[in-house]
Amino acid sequence: MYRLHAFAQSGNAYKVALLLEALRQPWTAVHLPFSEFVAGVQRSEEWRRQVNAMGELPILEADGRKLTQSAAIMLFLADKHDAYGGKDEDERLEVMRWLFFDNHKFTSYFATWRFMKSFMPTAPDPSLEKWLKGRIDNAFGIVERHLSGREYVVGDRPTIADMSLCGYLYYPADESGIDIGRTYPSMATWLERLKGLPGWKPPYDMLPGERIAPRWPG
């Protein structure tokens, strides 16, 4: 039984949960209330010493270890269960390439934007919004063009590259103000296709915790 430390607002935790479901592996959630995360419990010296020195979720308890960072966790699971990691060496390298792009740019910019729009105690700074939106448009444009004429990010079947890139895109549009279906048709079609993964559920049904209304929608 895998134990996944998570809360519903974390798209990075959702990526791991999505993979565990697709692998049909039993798992249980260890819930950290989002209110405690926003309050900064993960920044305390005790939490970092006892839970995760990086001060982040998700954390996967597996085989007597605590694994952190969603990409590393997904690579571990794909390798252990021999699924969703790519069918040969070329595909595995391509999967890793997209995982790195996702963590460095695609998810990084969008997740920051969504947190700023939905959960920050003060309204976003317009200059920072403009800067982030430009980065999001560029990263999303790369993926939109890549998915034009293909079904999955790598090869002819879903991989952890798909599950990583989609992690924050199933949250309600009012949390980010970005309508994927209206602006990125290839990505929207791809997201619908990924709903066919075994055990697929949207984040607020998959992970523990309640949805919180966005503070600064639009």
Side-chain angles (χ1 to χ4, degrees), residues 153-172:
V153 174
V154 177
D156 58 1
R157 66 192 74 180
T159 66
I160 55 175
D162 298 281
M163 297 179 213
S164 187
L165 285 159
C166 81
Y168 278 86
L169 303 184
Y170 287 116
Y171 286 96

Side-chain angles (χ1 to χ4, degrees), residues 22-202:
L23 291 168
R24 296 183 171 89
Q25 291 299 309
W27 64 282
T28 187
V30 181
H31 183 212
L32 172 68
F34 187 58
S35 58
E36 294 185 18
F37 187 84
V38 172
V41 64
Q42 78 284 358
R43 293 193 294 270
S44 72
E45 185 64 31
E46 180 181 4
W47 200 93
R48 293 191 178 216
R49 184 175 63 254
Q50 295 185 0
V51 183
N52 179 9
M54 294 180 179
E56 296 175 338
L57 294 182
I59 302 165
L60 185 72
E61 294 185 41
D63 301 339
R65 292 178 285 183
K66 286 184 177 179
L67 305 174
T68 67
Q69 297 297 318
S70 62
I73 295 170
M74 296 175 83
L75 286 165
F76 164 80
L77 289 170
D79 182 64
K80 179 176 180 179
H81 298 286
D82 194 24
Y84 298 109
K87 64 184 179 183
D88 55 30
E89 183 181 11
D90 287 341
E91 284 199 4
R92 286 191 288 274
L93 288 171
E94 188 71 356
V95 164
M96 284 193 288
R97 188 171 78 100
W98 283 101
L99 287 177
F100 297 150
F101 173 78
D102 176 48
N103 280 261
H104 180 54
K105 293 187 175 179
F106 190 86
T107 279
S108 176
Y109 295 136
F110 183 69
T112 301
W113 169 274
R114 169 178 167 263
F115 187 87
M116 194 171 64
K117 300 281 280 185
S118 284
F119 308 122
M120 288 285 286
T122 57
D125 177 87
S127 62
L128 181 55
E129 280 191 294
K130 181 179 179 181
W131 185 87
L132 271 176
K133 187 59 166 57
R135 269 62 183 174
I136 292 168
D137 290 344
N138 179 62
F140 278 32
I142 290 169
V143 174
E144 174 69 13
R145 289 188 294 274
H146 180 73
L147 287 170
S148 178
R150 66 170 66 227
E151 294 187 350
Y152 300 104
V153 174
V154 177
D156 58 1
R157 66 192 74 180
T159 66
I160 55 175
D162 298 281
M163 297 179 213
S164 187
L165 285 159
C166 81
Y168 278 86
L169 303 184
Y170 287 116
Y171 286 96
D174 65 352
E175 292 187 359
S176 65
I178 297 177
D179 187 337
I180 301 293
R182 180 180 301 175
T183 312
Y184 302 102
S186 296
M187 286 171 56
T189 300
W190 165 72
L191 288 172
E192 283 299 313
R193 185 175 297 116
L194 291 181
K195 290 180 181 179
L197 286 167
W200 183 91
K201 294 178 185 177

